[in-house]
Amino acid sequence: MIFQQTLLLIAVYVTCAQAAKLPSYFTKCKKIDPNIGECIVQSGNAGMAQFSKGDDDYHIPSLSPLKVPEMYIDVNGGLYINLTDVEFPGLEQTVLKKAKKFFYSEFILDEPTLNYSFEYDLKQRGKNEYMVPKNTVTTYIAKQVHYQLDNLFNGNVQLGAQMNKFLNENWKEVDGEIGLKLGEAAGEVISALLTNFFAKVPFAELFED
């Protein structure tokens, strides 16, 4: 289990959000388009560069990189790690790979590889329906990992350097524990971002009839 403040730091505005239109950097797809999945993929990838810069109107922070002030991670049921000033690089390079049934979506990040997929429910709020992501699945595979943890052992530089050296010399073993949890944390961050966005834009605004 991951104990973190990510979902609080990236505030989710569900009950108080006012309806907004789809951002101009995304192109609406037609519901009757027999290739709507391909259209969603093209629209999503075309708008990702602008989206990743952050958009205050949709409560989306900058993704280049995404910065999280503090995270708590339970590594193996007994070892807890408190991370501060965490950065998730590479989210701006997200590629939407597939979409079907309007929005079964799979996002792919390279180096490390992070696969994130989700389905959704529609929730009525006022006069509009909004997408709510569900059944999210995150898988994480790293080809190479470099750790740089600062301010370890109450700021002891020598012990900190030794720990970082150990982590990097044994990154495969370490990544099997810490990396997996960081991948899960990244998935929760993506879920929070999507929830923010879909809480602002009604389902009817996402597509053309």
Side-chain angles (χ1 to χ4, degrees):
M1 182 177 182
I2 301 173
F3 295 94
Q4 58 177 331
Q5 297 181 357
T6 302
L7 299 182
L8 295 178
L9 294 166
I10 306 173
V12 177
Y13 298 84
V14 175
T15 58
C16 61
Q18 295 181 349
K21 294 184 180 296
L22 187 70
S24 59
Y25 43 84
F26 290 124
T27 301
K28 285 187 179 182
C29 298
K30 293 183 178 181
K31 293 180 181 179
I32 61 173
D33 185 349
N35 299 314
I36 188 171
E38 295 178 10
C39 178
I40 292 172
V41 168
Q42 292 175 0
S43 174
N45 289 329
M48 183 55 65
Q50 183 64 34
F51 180 81
S52 66
K53 294 179 181 179
D55 195 327
D56 291 340
D57 291 338
Y58 298 87
H59 309 301
I60 302 299
S62 172
L63 307 182
S64 304
L66 176 64
K67 298 180 180 181
V68 180
E70 189 171 20
M71 294 173 57
Y72 296 93
I73 298 179
D74 179 358
V75 177
N76 58 12
L79 175 61
Y80 297 90
I81 298 178
N82 179 16
L83 301 175
T84 58
D85 299 323
V86 181
E87 294 187 356
F88 288 95
L91 290 178
E92 72 279 5
Q93 301 173 18
T94 297
V95 176
L96 178 59
K97 299 293 289 187
K98 68 174 73 170
K100 57 186 179 181
K101 295 181 180 178
F102 289 137
F103 252 102
Y104 167 83
S105 297
E106 180 180 339
F107 297 90
I108 307 295
L109 290 172
D110 292 326
E111 305 295 347
T113 299
L114 180 70
N115 294 352
Y116 175 90
S117 64
F118 73 97
E119 298 175 346
Y120 71 92
D121 283 329
L122 290 178
K123 181 178 180 180
Q124 190 76 32
R125 199 172 75 237
K127 298 180 179 180
N128 298 309
E129 288 185 316
Y130 293 84
M131 287 177 58
V132 180
K134 70 171 186 178
N135 297 336
T136 62
V137 177
T138 304
T139 58
Y140 165 89
I141 302 173
K143 296 180 180 179
Q144 179 69 46
V145 175
H146 176 77
Y147 291 98
Q148 179 59 47
L149 305 181
D150 298 319
N151 297 319
L152 299 176
F153 306 108
N154 295 319
N156 187 309
V157 176
Q158 183 176 0
L159 291 178
Q162 292 175 355
M163 175 58 73
N164 280 305
K165 180 181 179 181
F166 171 82
L167 293 175
N168 288 305
E169 288 178 346
N170 300 275
W171 72 267
K172 288 185 178 180
E173 292 78 7
V174 175
D175 190 62
E177 294 286 345
I178 297 178
L180 179 63
K181 295 302 182 181
L182 287 175
E184 293 176 1
E188 293 188 22
V189 169
I190 295 173
S191 293
L193 294 173
L194 292 175
T195 301
N196 281 359
F197 182 78
F198 291 136
K200 287 286 293 184
V201 184
F203 185 75
E205 287 288 338
L206 295 174
F207 305 99
E208 289 184 357
D209 294 328

